[in-house]
Amino acid sequence: MTERLYRDDPYLLDFDAVVVARRRHHDRPAVVLDRTAFYAESGGQPWDTGALGGASVVAVIEEDGEILHVLDAPIAQDRVHGRVDGPRRLDHMQQHHGQHLLSRALVEVASARTLSFHLGAEDVTIDLDRHVSDDELRRAEARANEIVWQARPVSVREVTRKEAETLLAGELGGVRSAPPLDERARIHSARAMDAGERVRLIEAEGFDLQACSGTHPRTTAEVGVVLLVGHERYKGGSRVRFVCGHRALADAHRRQRVLDEVGAAFSSGLEGLPEAARRTLDQLRESERRGRDLLDRAMEGEARRLLAEGGGVPAVVVRAYDGWPAADLRLLAGHLVALAPCVALLGSRADKAHLVFAQSEGLSHDVPALLRDALTLVGGRGGGRGNLAQGGGDRVEGLDDALAKAEQTVRARAGEA
Ligand SMILES: [Zn+2]
């Protein structure tokens, strides 16, 4: 069995080891070592990466009781030097230990128990067994940071299973029953139990005691800060997102960059941004309302002009426009059929050919059929019912013919009547 050097010294990054077995893992070479400082993925904490004998360690996993160091290239030698990626290890220690402190604070503040923990490349989340309020979360965050800034020593000890159960019992202060040891160990790490009946306990002095095999710092201070960045209802409880240490700083920088950009766009400082955004949205809504109003008036004017030009009762208005959206054609058609008895055959050459046909109440052309026939000339599809039909097609060059065909049908039928 591989000696796990990170257990005794999570700050050890360089080590020498002997290759005791060579394996393959999903088409990549992998080696088993007699000893390793690489942490294998477990209990929500991802694996370490780094270098081993000239190759890169891309994953470290436990499989069939072995720790596999998955490599990007094979290594020939049996004696190897390993180097763990230090910043990544520190990041994992900060997030993982921060999680211990936050979970404990949530028990203290809200009697909320952590059911699972996920440490992703960007996201760190815990899922709680009950829903927690904004206020409870803020108080738990404050409590966790208080413990961080007190720089309490973090210690590791191995005890028997029976001792562990005694030590961990009642740690919820009688508020709720303590969860079974196996369940707790599963959350933090199944490997807490792998030394047979020995259980590895991590204690943040006088605050939190957990069965866990993850890597932890010497003192709570190394967590830096615990920053909550979001929460939502999840499976009857809450999912809480947070970041610690370096990630909290990076998160603050990222938010600052976004706010600076938005602030520049609104010509506003940080405090004035919400008001500036609200004011701009109000102005936008007002402009849109005014724009609709003006468009409606313009369309009414256009309809009056067309009817004055046309003549005939009922009038047959045929017109093609350039670049009009279909919505504008509908608006114009609506005014036309309302102002006078008429048939409106309107088209537009835009991103494609648009057609809108309409007739006033009381006229008896088959408007949907007119449209269907016209659409064959623009290669399009569309439909409608009663007095209004619309559609469009890709063959913009067929628009004039389509309108002419519809006009011909309308006038022929008017002639018969
Ligand atoms: Zn842990």
Side-chain angles (χ1 to χ4, degrees), residues 96 99-100 188-189 202 210-214 216:
H96 187 155
Q99 178 264 314
H100 276 228
H188 290 281
S189 168
I202 309 290
Q210 288 299 333
C212 177
S213 77
H216 291 274

Side-chain angles (χ1 to χ4, degrees), residues 315-346:
V316 181
V317 176
V318 186
R319 188 57 61 111
Y321 296 91
D322 285 320
W324 281 29
D328 290 5
L329 295 180
R330 278 199 306 275
L331 196 55
L332 176 59
H335 281 294
L336 282 166
V337 300
L339 283 166
C342 83
V343 179
L345 305 173
L346 307 177

Side-chain angles (χ1 to χ4, degrees), residues 104 108 143 147 150 152-153 155 203-209:
R104 169 62 47 195
E108 265 193 21
R143 178 66 172 141
I147 300 297
Q150 285 169 352
R152 297 195 187 199
S155 61
E203 179 175 8
E205 194 176 274
F207 182 64
D208 177 56
L209 186 65

